[in-house]
Amino acid sequence: MTQTTLRLIGGIALASLLVYAFVVLVAYTFQREMVFPRRFVNAAPFAAMVGPDFERLTLETSDGERLKAYFKPPTGHAPVIVAFHGNGSVPEPIAVRFGTNPWADAGFGVLTFAYRGYPGSTGEPSESGLLLDAEAAIAYARERAPSSPMVFYGHSLGTGVAVAMSERHPSQALVLEAPFSSLPDVVAATMPFLPGQLMRDTFFSARRIAGTQAETVVIVHGERDTVVPAFLGRRLYSAAPHGIFMAVEDADHLSLRGMRDTEIFTLVLDGYPPEPTPQSEPVGTPDPLETGMI
């Protein structure tokens, strides 16, 4: 190679490195806008979804934030579902889902809320902040229904909150739809060009679920999920001390929600069936992060 060619190659390499460094810097700087895209969430179309059987209320957190919330009291000693929405979602569809059958016929209560910084709530979101929000919700549920067991439910980002709460508090069940092992794993699986180890909010659910106090753990994942690939749900499942994994062949990240409610409802009420054994074997492709395919 001539000296001119070498200089050209060196210049291209340097330019590529600078562009990559700029991309990483932008992603690092604005990572919370990506993890918590609350500024792009429009809650207005959902405002009229929740029926009169729900109370509209404001939860107050230990650090002074005020959260928009919906509560439906349980019937008798039926469980209360404390539900945590995804990062681009709102609480209203969850209230509607768990406020109807089969949950309503069994007298289940429901408490769901908007995270800090999301429409209707004050503050700025972060992992530590969302966990404070969840603690406020659990405290409220205990105050309003002290004799009812709790069920923690989460979808997507909400699974990170639900798993953290299940490590801290006893529950009748932990129900997770489209969960992940950690946010850095999500980055490695979907944006491998970015260094996930630089994330401020990690939600290391695989570590936390090992200490879950839930009597029953149910993990449901869509095989067509490209936002949180199903192998991350399987990775989380493998870290749980017990549980059931449900793979839904024709579901993606959003269409998954509620597709297996009949089976979930039975597991929440009755616990694990005699067969299969308490830890089922999820079927799927090998974990690409472990095999080096990603």
Side-chain angles (χ1 to χ4, degrees), residues 54 72 81-84 92-105 108-112 151 153-154 175 177 258 261 264:
F54 275 83
K72 179 183 179 182
I81 300 172
V82 182
F84 309 105
E92 286 82 359
I94 296 179
V96 173
R97 172 182 170 184
F98 291 114
T100 54
N101 294 331
W103 313 97
D105 274 351
F108 276 70
V110 185
L111 175 61
T112 186
V151 173
Y153 161 82
V175 179
E177 288 181 323
D261 266 11
I264 293 171

Side-chain angles (χ1 to χ4, degrees), residues 176-202:
L176 308 173
E177 288 181 323
F180 49 80
S181 44
S182 72
L183 285 189
D185 284 351
V186 176
V187 171
T190 61
M191 294 176 284
F193 55 89
L194 291 177
Q197 61 268 29
L198 296 181
M199 296 194 72
R200 299 170 186 164
D201 307 287
T202 55

Side-chain angles (χ1 to χ4, degrees), residues 18 30 72 81 114 127 197 216 219 231 237 248:
L18 290 175
F30 296 101
K72 179 183 179 182
I81 300 172
E127 178 175 2
Q197 61 268 29
T216 303
I219 296 177
F231 76 85
Y237 168 80
V248 185

Side-chain angles (χ1 to χ4, degrees), residues 16-31 34 187 191-200:
S16 299
L17 182 61
L18 290 175
V19 169
Y20 175 70
F22 177 75
V23 170
V24 171
L25 178 62
V26 170
Y28 177 79
T29 303
F30 296 101
Q31 61 179 277
M34 300 167 65
V187 171
M191 294 176 284
F193 55 89
L194 291 177
Q197 61 268 29
L198 296 181
M199 296 194 72
R200 299 170 186 164

